[in-house]
Amino acid sequence: MKKPLVLLLCFACFNLFSTVASSQSFGSNNPVTCNGNDGYITIGGLIAGATYSVSYSDDGAAVGPLSLTANVSGQVIISGLNAGLYSNFSLVYNGSTTNLSIGIVLSNPIFIPTFTSVPPICAGTTPPTLPTTSNNGMTGTWNPAVINNTTSASYTFTPAGGQCGIPITIPVTIIPRTTPTFSFGTSLNICAGGTVPTLPNTSTNGISGAWNPAVVDAQNSGSYTFTPNAGQCANPATFTVTVTPNITPSFSFGTTLTICAGGTVPALPTTSTNAITGVWSPTVVDAQNSGIYTFTPTAGQCALPATFTVTVDPNLTPTFSFGTSINLCAGGTVPTLPTTSTNGIAGTWNPAVVSSATPGTYTFTPTAGQCAVPTTLTVTVTSNITPTFTFGTSLIICAGGTVPTLPTISNNGITGVWSPSTVSNTTSGSYTFTPDAGQCAIPATFTVTVNPNITPSFDINTYSICAGSTPPVYLQHRLKELPVPGILL
């Protein structure tokens, strides 16, 4: 087989290596098929109709002699030639030899493989397979053999031997995928219930598509995928939303407190026991008035406001049926000190028993856990007064004698009543003065002794004496015994 492309010195119809040494002219036509035998060489300037014995070398191999007859134009045509170097032409006519010092190269035709162009490929998509046969029927191999779907590159097709084809290189453009971008980025951290974006159908860099899910949930963490519409060289995009639950700040004193007015209240801290910082309004607990205190977390923390409710109960003063003071007479009736006040306050007394003989102060201390203040009972003990009267405490009279009227007010101002209320002048008796209630006085007794009247008796019935004269001794003695002096019987 000839080597078709040993020398590619001429792509024209013929090539002369030397100047023809005679009047003959040369022409040539390359084969029109690869490694075909349809090329030819013409030698002109010969005698028309004459027959020549033609010899030559084909790539150094002697050919001929061939008997060729010149045409009417004076040309002999050496046909059926393939690609190669033809030289050492020799023409013999009528015993005369003409040697032609010329070399002619016939070349195979050069075919360029043709392929349908590869359109730009979106990175990552499945690339087309490189065909091993060109559109114009040429077989061969590619280098690289497979299209890389990530990087633009050139691919060279080398025709298989014996096809008179030349290598051809085609470019393959890989279009990088665009990642859709959005104003809210690729991730978002929010507190539960926080603000979430609306998911748009077109990215900020012009990629259209759809989201799944289509709406961001502000209460639960989730991942949202944007899928570009077909026909765009774009990657899916993911938007991750992390939802942090809101924490309710907690405090050592809890959420409510009930105290007695003036009781102990906590200081309001700016950091909760579960590490939430914030401020209180109001900032200080009022121990005298009920109120609600609101803790507002500092911005940037996933926390809810918290409230602290303080109920302030007013302090009650225990009340008792006997009041706060008692005035009593010595030895008078004293109340029993109860352990529960009339308004329901339980407690203890000190001293526990009221003395009816000695003034004193008795303190009632409420039992712990009640909104009540201590109270006192003041007991004043007044000494009892004995009523006095002008007639004293006793009287001795003769029957029918004068007796006093019993007054309802004593000399020392004690009012009361007597029993009996009238003194008898005929019968001895005891009269009791009972003071009216409410006076520190004791009953008084008035004793009246009524002596019966006696009639004097003598040995003689009648004595007559002159006025102013001295009576007899016996008579004087009898006169002394008379209850009423001076009465002569």
Side-chain angles (χ1 to χ4, degrees), residues 9-224:
L9 301 178
C10 179
F11 297 98
C13 295
F14 61 90
N15 184 21
L16 299 178
F17 283 116
S18 63
T19 303
V20 178
S22 62
S23 61
Q24 280 73 37
S25 61
F26 290 84
S28 67
N29 271 17
N30 291 319
V32 295
T33 61
C34 181
N35 299 317
N37 296 317
D38 50 2
Y40 61 88
I41 295 174
T42 62
I43 301 174
L46 302 178
I47 299 170
T51 299
Y52 292 85
S53 177
V54 180
S55 299
Y56 59 90
S57 296
D58 180 358
D59 287 337
V63 178
L66 303 174
S67 180
L68 300 173
T69 301
N71 59 23
V72 295
S73 299
Q75 298 173 324
V76 294
I77 300 174
I78 306 172
S79 62
L81 303 180
N82 57 18
L85 174 60
Y86 295 87
S87 60
N88 300 320
F89 292 93
S90 177
L91 286 75
V92 178
Y93 176 69
N94 290 333
S96 178
T97 301
T98 301
N99 291 316
L100 303 176
S101 299
I102 188 172
I104 298 174
V105 174
L106 295 183
S107 300
N108 275 316
I110 299 174
F111 296 105
I112 299 175
T114 59
F115 296 92
T116 302
S117 63
V118 178
I121 300 170
C122 183
T125 59
T126 302
T129 300
L130 293 172
T132 56
T133 300
S134 68
N135 293 344
N136 52 352
M138 197 169 297
T139 62
T141 58
W142 290 92
N143 185 27
V146 178
I147 294 176
N148 183 339
N149 66 355
T150 61
T151 306
S152 296
S154 293
Y155 296 81
T156 300
F157 178 80
T158 302
Q163 298 180 96
C164 299
I166 61 173
I168 184 174
T169 299
I170 63 170
V172 176
T173 300
I174 303 298
I175 301 173
R177 284 184 175 271
T178 301
T179 299
T181 57
F182 298 90
S183 59
F184 41 77
T186 59
S187 63
L188 176 66
N189 290 317
I190 62 168
C191 301
T195 301
V196 292
T198 299
L199 299 177
N201 291 327
T202 301
S203 68
T204 54
N205 53 347
I207 306 299
S208 63
W211 287 93
N212 184 31
V215 178
V216 177
D217 183 352
Q219 298 295 334
N220 299 286
S221 297
S223 184
Y224 302 80

Side-chain angles (χ1 to χ4, degrees), residues 436-483:
D436 291 336
Q439 303 172 96
C440 285
I442 57 176
T445 300
F446 175 47
T447 303
V448 175
T449 301
V450 177
N451 292 321
N453 290 314
I454 300 172
T455 301
S457 59
F458 299 96
D459 293 337
I460 58 176
N461 291 329
T462 301
Y463 287 93
S464 294
I465 63 172
C466 293
S469 63
T470 300
V473 175
Y474 177 77
L475 179 59
Q476 290 180 357
H477 174 75
R478 295 294 294 172
L479 289 175
K480 290 179 182 178
E481 295 178 356
L482 294 175

Side-chain angles (χ1 to χ4, degrees), residues 89-481:
F89 292 93
S90 177
L91 286 75
V92 178
Y93 176 69
N94 290 333
S96 178
T97 301
T98 301
N99 291 316
L100 303 176
S101 299
I102 188 172
I104 298 174
V105 174
L106 295 183
S107 300
N108 275 316
I110 299 174
F111 296 105
I112 299 175
T114 59
F115 296 92
T116 302
S117 63
V118 178
I121 300 170
C122 183
T125 59
T126 302
T129 300
L130 293 172
T132 56
T133 300
S134 68
N135 293 344
N136 52 352
M138 197 169 297
T139 62
T141 58
W142 290 92
N143 185 27
V146 178
I147 294 176
N148 183 339
N149 66 355
T150 61
T151 306
S152 296
S154 293
Y155 296 81
T156 300
F157 178 80
T158 302
Q163 298 180 96
C164 299
I166 61 173
I168 184 174
T169 299
I170 63 170
V172 176
T173 300
I174 303 298
I175 301 173
R177 284 184 175 271
T178 301
T179 299
T181 57
F182 298 90
S183 59
F184 41 77
T186 59
S187 63
L188 176 66
N189 290 317
I190 62 168
C191 301
T195 301
V196 292
T198 299
L199 299 177
N201 291 327
T202 301
S203 68
T204 54
N205 53 347
I207 306 299
S208 63
W211 287 93
N212 184 31
V215 178
V216 177
D217 183 352
Q219 298 295 334
N220 299 286
S221 297
S223 184
Y224 302 80
T225 300
F226 179 80
T227 302
N229 292 333
Q232 302 172 100
C233 192
N235 293 316
T238 300
F239 176 49
T240 302
V241 177
T242 302
V243 177
T244 302
N246 287 311
I247 298 172
T248 299
S250 58
F251 298 91
S252 59
F253 43 74
T255 58
T256 61
L257 175 66
T258 299
I259 61 169
C260 300
T264 301
V265 292
L268 298 177
T270 56
T271 301
S272 68
T273 53
N274 52 350
I276 304 300
T277 61
V279 293
W280 287 93
S281 179
T283 57
V284 177
V285 177
D286 183 352
Q288 298 297 332
N289 298 287
S290 297
I292 297 176
Y293 302 80
T294 300
F295 180 80
T296 302
T298 305
Q301 302 173 99
C302 288
L304 301 170
T307 57
F308 176 47
T309 302
V310 177
T311 301
V312 177
D313 292 330
N315 286 312
L316 299 178
T317 299
T319 58
F320 298 91
S321 59
F322 42 74
T324 58
S325 65
I326 298 174
N327 291 316
L328 59 85
C329 302
T333 300
V334 295
T336 299
L337 298 177
T339 56
T340 301
S341 68
T342 54
N343 55 346
I345 306 299
T348 56
W349 288 93
N350 184 28
V353 178
V354 176
S355 170
S356 63
T358 305
T361 299
Y362 301 81
T363 300
F364 180 80
T365 302
T367 304
Q370 301 172 100
C371 288
V373 294
T375 189
T376 57
L377 170 64
T378 302
V379 176
T380 301
V381 178
T382 303
S383 300
N384 287 313
I385 299 172
T386 299
T388 59
F389 299 93
T390 55
F391 42 76
T393 60
S394 64
L395 176 64
I396 298 174
I397 64 169
C398 295
T402 301
V403 292
T405 300
L406 298 176
T408 57
I409 300 175
S410 69
N411 293 346
N412 52 355
I414 305 300
T415 64
V417 294
W418 287 93
S419 180
S421 60
T422 303
V423 177
S424 173
N425 61 356
T426 61
T427 305
S428 295
S430 180
Y431 300 83
T432 301
F433 180 79
T434 302
D436 291 336
Q439 303 172 96
C440 285
I442 57 176
T445 300
F446 175 47
T447 303
V448 175
T449 301
V450 177
N451 292 321
N453 290 314
I454 300 172
T455 301
S457 59
F458 299 96
D459 293 337
I460 58 176
N461 291 329
T462 301
Y463 287 93
S464 294
I465 63 172
C466 293
S469 63
T470 300
V473 175
Y474 177 77
L475 179 59
Q476 290 180 357
H477 174 75
R478 295 294 294 172
L479 289 175
K480 290 179 182 178
E481 295 178 356

